[in-house]
Amino acid sequence: MRLKLLFLYLLMVSFACNNSANTNEKEKPKQNKIPINTSTENEYKLIKSIPLPNGFERILNDENSFAAWLENVPLKKNNTVYTYDGSPKRNQAAQFAVLDISVGKKDLQQCADAVMRMRAEYLFSQKRFDEIIFIDNANTQYKFHPPYNRENFAKYLERVFGMCGSASLANQLKTVNEFNDIEAGNVIIRGGFPGHAVMVMDVAINAQGEKIYLLAQSYMPAQDIHVLLNLTNGDISPWYKVTGEKKISTPEYLFYKNELRKW
């Protein structure tokens, strides 16, 4: 009788332990393939100095092109993303590096505004002032007028940021029909109130014709423009690979490949 009771006791203990182990296994949270970025310093000076995965080479760009300007954008040594009021952004796990481009003191330079800022800065650097034009939702054009100096340029951009956004910019840009045609300077954008937009900063290719690309964003509230990590593929992060998938999963937003646009 004692042996029978002992056998039943051991059986119950074994069942309880197994059940507990199964429960713990189900409750175990899924982890990202790459660790959360806790570094406060960045070792790279320019977009083009960000290393490539093995086997890939950057696509050569004309020295006066928008793509060439983007790959020469400087990066901050401090890898913290700050908002317009000087406070650290709550989520510090999205960025690989921070662009050395001012954010201003107002809550204006958000997602689409950062894209327009980089495009305008490029055209300003090329002295192509007549091409600095953005269009709002009422189809009103905002042209940059003389004097062509930095002070007036800053005032012009504030007006554009206040009147234009992701919805108007999505309408202004042209559709890229094949995602594999992606180039630096393209924009992945969803127009809305709010929508979101990210800039394609750089593109590389390997011998098999596979392409990878870098993305940068600002967000809400207005914050430092930063190169995004790839949280779904830590093996090539911060690069993203052109695949057959329809979705593009960035740390803070989900896009679709048919949302690729060009100037």
Side-chain angles (χ1 to χ4, degrees):
M1 181 69 179
R2 288 181 180 178
L3 289 175
K4 185 174 181 181
L5 290 174
L6 179 62
F7 175 78
L8 289 172
Y9 172 76
L10 292 174
L11 187 64
M12 291 173 64
V13 169
S14 175
F15 175 80
C17 289
N18 287 335
N19 190 54
S20 175
N22 290 337
T23 301
N24 290 338
E25 185 66 27
K26 290 178 183 178
E27 292 177 352
K28 191 178 294 182
K30 293 182 180 179
Q31 297 184 2
N32 291 331
K33 294 183 179 179
I34 56 174
I36 292 175
N37 180 20
T38 57
S39 174
T40 57
E41 288 194 2
N42 165 57
E43 59 183 297
Y44 308 109
K45 294 183 177 181
L46 303 171
I47 289 292
K48 68 181 179 182
S49 63
I50 295 174
L52 289 159
N54 290 336
F56 284 88
E57 294 185 0
R58 282 181 164 84
I59 292 177
L60 296 177
N61 300 302
D62 181 272
E63 62 180 358
N64 293 319
S65 66
F66 187 29
W69 184 88
L70 287 170
E71 68 180 9
N72 283 286
V73 170
L75 302 172
K76 291 183 178 181
K77 186 173 182 180
N78 186 336
N79 209 39
T80 304
V81 174
Y82 292 94
T83 62
Y84 69 97
D85 62 3
S87 60
K89 178 183 177 179
R90 181 173 298 180
N91 178 19
Q92 293 291 330
Q95 77 272 13
F96 177 83
V98 180
L99 278 60
D100 195 2
I101 295 177
S102 62
V103 65
K105 300 295 184 182
K106 300 177 181 179
D107 191 9
L108 289 174
Q109 190 173 285
Q110 299 179 1
C111 55
D113 310 295
V115 169
M116 292 185 284
R117 169 75 183 278
M118 287 188 277
R119 179 64 178 179
E121 287 282 2
Y122 160 67
L123 293 172
F124 188 92
S125 72
Q126 296 287 308
K127 299 187 182 339
R128 291 160 56 182
F129 305 122
D130 291 343
E131 296 179 48
I132 304 177
I133 303 171
F134 297 100
I135 305 170
D136 68 14
N137 291 307
N139 210 33
T140 301
Q141 292 190 350
Y142 296 84
K143 299 181 179 181
F144 181 42
H145 295 297
Y148 297 136
N149 56 41
R150 294 298 306 187
E151 182 180 2
N152 191 40
F153 184 56
K155 291 178 180 177
Y156 163 78
L157 287 176
E158 280 199 4
R159 189 180 182 207
V160 167
F161 297 163
M163 302 305 296
C164 304
S166 62
S168 60
L169 184 60
N171 289 330
Q172 182 176 350
L173 297 172
K174 303 170 185 175
T175 299
V176 178
N177 293 319
E178 294 293 334
F179 195 84
N180 195 55
D181 293 335
I182 190 170
E183 296 179 347
N186 288 170
V187 182
I188 304 176
I189 184 168
R190 183 174 306 154
F193 303 96
H196 192 38
V198 293
M199 177 73 85
V200 181
M201 299 296 296
D202 204 356
V203 177
I205 193 169
N206 65 12
Q208 290 73 44
E210 297 173 316
K211 288 184 178 180
I212 56 175
Y213 54 96
L214 287 178
L215 298 176
Q217 71 166 20
S218 177
Y219 212 22
M220 298 180 292
Q223 57 197 250
D224 290 323
I225 307 170
H226 46 282
V227 176
L228 291 169
L229 288 166
N230 182 349
L231 298 181
T232 62
N233 190 347
D235 293 335
I236 64 169
S237 182
W239 296 87
Y240 289 72
K241 194 175 206 176
V242 175
T243 67
E245 293 289 330
K246 293 181 179 180
K247 298 177 180 179
I248 304 163
S249 182
T250 70
E252 296 178 304
Y253 206 84
L254 179 66
F255 291 100
Y256 291 87
K257 290 169 72 172
N258 63 0
E259 294 172 322
L260 183 65
R261 302 288 186 271
K262 63 182 179 180
W263 299 96

